[in-house]
C-alpha cells in the first residue's frame, strides 16, 4: 500500500505490508496521521503519566483509537460495522496495540455498559442513512447532544470530533460550553473541530493549530480586543491562517501583533513592521492599484502571471482572470479587496520567505 491513497494520509501505516485498508467512505472521514498525533498531544497534557481506561465509541478505521490508546493501559474500540471490526482486529497487533477490546456494537447501546473511563472519544458519522453529507450535531450518528449527559457521567474527559464546517457557537449550543475548542488545520486547510469536556470555568479556550503555529485565546477576548482600521496599505500584508479565520479571531490579530485591518469584512492586515511568527502568510507589498483602466494598465503590462485571491470583493477569481487575461501561478500574489474607505483595489505582493 506504499503507493495507495493510504500513503498520503497515513504514511506510517502504508509501510506495513499486511495492513488492511477500509472502504473508501471510512477512509474519507478518518483522521490523518498528523491530526491524530495532535489529538494525542492534547490528551497527553491531561494525563502526563498516562491513564487507565479509554474508549472510542465510533472506532471507524481506528486511526484515532490506535494513537490515543497508547496513552492508556487499556483501550476499548467500539464500531457498528462488522467489516471494520474485522479490519481492526487484524490491524491493531500490526500497529503494536495490544491491550484492547474490539466491540461490534452501536455507541448508544455500549455506553451504558462501560465501566468508568478516563477518556471517551467520539467521532460521529457525518452522513445520513441515504449517504447525504450532514453537518449539525443532531444529524450525525450517533447524536452526541443526546449522549452528552451519559458521556460526562462515564468519563473524566470527553473529546468530540466534528466537521470543520460547523459553526463553533452552533456546536456549543448543541453540546454545551466546552473547556477547549481545537481547530486543527493541515496544509493550510481546516480538517477537524475538536471539543473537549467537561467545562469547569466561565470561558471556553480556543486553540488554533496548524503545521506552523499554535494560537490560543479565551472566546470572550475577541469581542474585547482593540482593532485599528486603515485605508492605507503599508509595506507588509498579513493573511491569517485557515484555523484563525475559522475561529473568528479578527480583532485579536490587530491587537496582538500591532496590525491595522483593511476593512471589517476583509480579514487582511497591514503594517510597516515584519511579524516573523505571524500565524498565517506574510507578503511584501509592491503595488496598489485601483480598477480604472488607466490605473491598472501599468500593473497588467508588467505581470502576466499571478496567484489571485478575492477578499471582500464583488467578483470572483475566474471573472478577474478573464478580465485581466492573467495566468495562474508564479511568484506574484494579487489580492482583490476592499479598503476601509470602501475603495476596491488590487494589492500586488510577493510572499515573504524566512523573514526576507
Amino acid at each position: 500500500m506504499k503507493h495507495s491513497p493510504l500513503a498520503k494520509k497515513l504514511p506510517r501505516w502504508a509501510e506495513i505490508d499486511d495492513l488492511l485498508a477500509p472502504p473508501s467512505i471510512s477512509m474519507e472521514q478518518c483522521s490523518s496521521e498528523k491530526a491524530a498525533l495532535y489529538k494525542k498531544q492534547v490528551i497527553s497534557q491531561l494525563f502526563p503519566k498516562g491513564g487507565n481506561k479509554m474508549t472510542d465509541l465510533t472506532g471507524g478505521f481506528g486511526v484515532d483509537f490506535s494513537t490515543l490508546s497508547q496513552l492508556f493501559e487499556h483501550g476499548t474500540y467500539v464500531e457498528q460495522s462488522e467489516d471494520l471490526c474485522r479490519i481492526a482486529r487484524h490491524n491493531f497487533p500490526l500497529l503494536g496495540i495490544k491491550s484492547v477490546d474490539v466491540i461490534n456494537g452501536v455507541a448508544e447501546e455500549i455506553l451504558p455498559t462501560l465501566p468508568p473511563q478516563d477518556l471517551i472519544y467520539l467521532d460521529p458519522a457525518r452522513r445520513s442513512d441515504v449517504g447525504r453529507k450532514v453537518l449539525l450535531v443532531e444529524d450525525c450518528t450517533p447524536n452526541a447532544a443526546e449522549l452528552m449527559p451519559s458521556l460526562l457521567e462515564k468519563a473524566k474527559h470527553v473529546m468530540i470530533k466534528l466537521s470543520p464546517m460547523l459553526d463553533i457557537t452552533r456546536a456549543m449550543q448543541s453540546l454545551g460550553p466546552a473547556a477547549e475548542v481545537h481547530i486543527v488545520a493541515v496544509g493550510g486547510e481546516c480538517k477537524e473541530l475538536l471539543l473537549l469536556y467537561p467545562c469547569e470555568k466561565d470561558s471556553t479556550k480556543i486553540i488554533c493549530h496548524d503545521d506552523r503555529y499554535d494560537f490560543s485565546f479565551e472566546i470572550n477576548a475577541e469581542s474585547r480586543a482593540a482593532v485599528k482600521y486603515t485605508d492605507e496599505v503599508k509595506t507588509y500584508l498579513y493573511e491569517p491562517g485557515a484555523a484563525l479565520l475559522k475561529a473568528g479571531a479578527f480583532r485579536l490579530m490587530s491587537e496582538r501583533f500591532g496590525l491595522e485591518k483593511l476593512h471589517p469584512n476583509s480579514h487582511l492586515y497591514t503594517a510597516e513592521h515584519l511579524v516573523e511568527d505571524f500565524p498565517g502568510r506574510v507578503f511584501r507589498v509592491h503595488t496598489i492599484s485601483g480598477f480604472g483602466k488607466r490605473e491598472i494598465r501599468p500593473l497588467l503590462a508588467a505581470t502576466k502571471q499571478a496567484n489571485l485571491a478575492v477578499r471582500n470583493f464583488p467578483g470572483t477569481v475566474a471573472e478577474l482572470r478573464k478580465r485581466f487575461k492573467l495566468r495562474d501561478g508564479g511568484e506574484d500574489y494579487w489580492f482583490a479587496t476592499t479598503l476601509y474607505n470602501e475603495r476596491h483595489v488590487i494589492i500586488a505582493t510577493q510572499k515573504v520567505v524566512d523573514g526576507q
Side-chain angles (χ1 to χ4, degrees), residues 234-253:
K234 298 176 180 169
T235 302
Y236 295 100
L237 187 74
Y238 295 86
E239 181 188 38
L244 281 94
L245 293 174
K246 173 66 181 178
F250 305 132
R251 300 173 65 89
L252 281 165
M253 291 292 95

Side-chain angles (χ1 to χ4, degrees), residues 118-289:
D118 290 322
L119 172 72
I120 292 180
Y121 176 73
L122 197 67
D123 178 9
R126 297 190 290 274
R127 285 190 181 271
S128 67
D129 294 339
V130 294
R132 181 176 58 87
K133 287 186 177 182
V134 295
L135 187 66
L136 300 180
V137 173
E138 293 82 1
D139 294 334
C140 295
T141 305
N143 181 346
E146 290 183 349
L147 293 181
M148 276 305 290
S150 298
L151 291 169
L152 294 173
E153 184 178 326
K154 283 286 185 179
K156 293 178 182 177
H157 296 280
V158 176
M159 178 179 275
I160 300 176
K161 172 184 168 183
L162 300 172
S163 166
M165 301 298 293
L166 182 59
D167 178 74
I168 294 171
T169 301
R170 180 62 187 266
M172 290 197 290
Q173 286 174 346
S174 299
L175 297 170
E180 297 177 358
V181 174
H182 294 257
I183 304 167
V184 183
V186 177
E189 181 182 353
C190 285
K191 293 294 187 180
E192 298 181 358
L193 191 64
L194 306 172
L195 277 66
L196 192 61
Y197 292 88
C199 184
E200 298 175 343
K201 52 185 180 178
D202 295 333
S203 181
T204 297
K205 186 177 183 180
I206 308 292
I207 299 98
C208 304
H209 172 79
D210 200 344
D211 304 334
R212 294 177 48 250
Y213 64 79
D214 286 283
F215 182 92
S216 62
F217 62 98
E218 296 293 327
I219 197 169
N220 297 329
E222 168 65 15
S223 61
R224 299 193 300 264
V227 58
K228 185 176 180 180
Y229 295 104
T230 184
D231 49 32
E232 180 186 355
V233 183
K234 298 176 180 169
T235 302
Y236 295 100
L237 187 74
Y238 295 86
E239 181 188 38
L244 281 94
L245 293 174
K246 173 66 181 178
F250 305 132
R251 300 173 65 89
L252 281 165
M253 291 292 95
S254 176
E255 181 178 82
R256 288 204 185 175
F257 298 103
L259 307 177
E260 295 177 81
K261 200 170 189 291
L262 295 188
H263 188 281
N265 300 321
S266 292
H267 310 323
L268 292 170
Y269 304 78
T270 191
E272 293 293 352
H273 63 278
L274 176 63
V275 180
E276 295 189 2
D277 60 346
F278 181 75
R281 298 195 297 176
V282 185
F283 303 86
R284 180 181 285 273
V285 177
H286 60 75
T287 307
I288 301 104
S289 172

